[in-house]
Amino acid sequence: MSVLRRDPATGGWVIVAPERRRRPEEHRHQAPDPSGAGSCPFCAGREADAPGELLRIPSPDGSGWSVRVLPNKFAALSPDEPAGERLQGPLFREVAAAGHHEVIVEGPTHGRRTADMADREVADAIEAYHSRYVALRDDRRVAYVIVFKNSGARAGASLAHPHSQLVATPMAPLGLQGRFARVREHHAATGRCLCCDLVDAELEAAVRVVLETERYAVYCPFASGVPYETWIAPRRHQPSFGFTSREERVE
């Protein structure tokens, strides 16, 4: 059973999820089969191997599906977990791992990369991200929703079938809480949005800009934390991905 434990030294929370050890390891134990002819549960025709569908976007001709969203079989959090905190001593706090952990299957074809997909296929995946984000932000137990994609074995992907994951947790990560505090400080001092000011400053500097469009600025931050860190920032002031328009999501 998964739990969330508070680090006494930092005040941050970590997920301890023994169930994750049981997930499939196609990349680790064998050369990935580009056809998916092995036992991939995400391939077309094997829908019964991954039940509990949360969302389906049909293919353009209506004969199949373009994107499916499923509960993660080896989830780190569970929507059925009752809320509650347990003390394991004066310094040790843990709470039930209540939340959501989902898989977004980004197409029926095994082994494809995002770069090889048509624009419509990528747009369908982003629409699935948005739909589930909006659905889960209304869960009163959820404080933070993130969508992420591990691409390839070195990044931690366990299956070659194109997929992303969504995790919704009852508390925000410590690093994000620090960013929230900095945004509030900037607004209190200037009356302006720090995120908007950063976009404007990067576009004005024009040193680290990768792409500029009507709706987005793509740039490498001035103080990048990792090599090749790249931000895709909306140019319209908005509080989160959940408030984007369809036009902004499919540009």
Side-chain angles (χ1 to χ4, degrees):
M1 181 181 68
S2 299
V3 294
L4 285 156
R5 290 180 174 172
R6 185 175 182 273
D7 184 339
T10 66
W13 291 84
V14 299
I15 302 174
V16 180
E19 186 71 10
R20 297 290 292 160
R21 293 178 299 181
R22 299 178 54 239
R23 65 193 181 125
E25 293 288 353
E26 175 185 12
H27 278 302
R28 180 179 298 179
H29 298 302
Q30 63 190 44
D33 180 358
S35 70
S39 58
C40 176
F42 297 157
C43 285
R46 295 196 177 94
E47 288 80 5
D49 295 342
E53 189 172 271
L54 300 166
L55 175 70
R56 173 183 291 221
I57 296 179
S59 57
D61 61 7
S63 63
W65 52 273
S66 175
V67 178
R68 296 176 75 215
V69 181
L70 312 163
N72 194 310
K73 187 176 180 180
F74 307 99
L77 303 106
S78 170
D80 300 322
E81 194 71 42
E85 181 174 330
R86 297 177 287 272
L87 296 177
Q88 302 291 346
L91 293 177
F92 304 134
R93 294 173 57 195
E94 71 177 25
V95 298
H100 302 266
H101 191 173
E102 301 176 359
V103 176
I104 300 98
V105 185
E106 299 169 351
T109 305
H110 195 80
R112 295 186 71 196
R113 301 179 307 161
T114 303
D116 298 326
M117 294 180 179
D119 290 349
R120 177 198 56 78
E121 295 174 295
V122 177
D124 282 348
I126 293 174
E127 283 300 287
Y129 297 166
H130 182 263
S131 179
R132 294 307 300 159
Y133 182 100
V134 170
L136 296 178
R137 76 178 180 190
D138 293 332
D139 185 331
R140 295 178 61 184
R141 299 173 301 172
V142 170
Y144 176 67
V145 181
I146 184 172
V147 178
F148 63 93
K149 180 181 179 72
N150 297 327
S151 182
R154 294 181 64 186
S158 56
L159 289 173
H161 198 107
H163 67 283
S164 303
Q165 298 184 59
L166 179 151
V167 172
T169 65
M171 61 276 294
L174 195 62
L176 191 61
Q177 294 179 35
R179 289 189 180 185
F180 287 158
R182 182 69 188 101
V183 167
R184 288 192 291 267
E185 291 171 2
H186 182 82
H187 187 269
T190 68
R192 298 191 303 271
C193 170
L194 175 60
C195 300
C196 292
D197 282 358
L198 279 173
V199 170
D200 291 343
E202 289 287 3
L203 291 177
E204 183 178 355
V207 175
R208 294 165 293 277
V209 176
V210 178
L211 178 68
E212 178 183 355
T213 72
E214 178 185 353
R215 295 187 175 95
Y216 289 97
V218 183
Y219 61 90
C220 299
F222 173 72
S224 296
V226 295
Y228 306 107
E229 179 177 347
T230 306
W231 284 43
I232 303 174
R235 301 185 66 177
R236 178 175 70 89
H237 176 79
Q238 53 190 289
S240 77
F241 175 60
F243 290 87
T244 55
S245 66
R246 177 169 173 78
E247 291 74 19
E248 289 170 322
R249 294 193 297 275
V250 301
E251 179 179 282

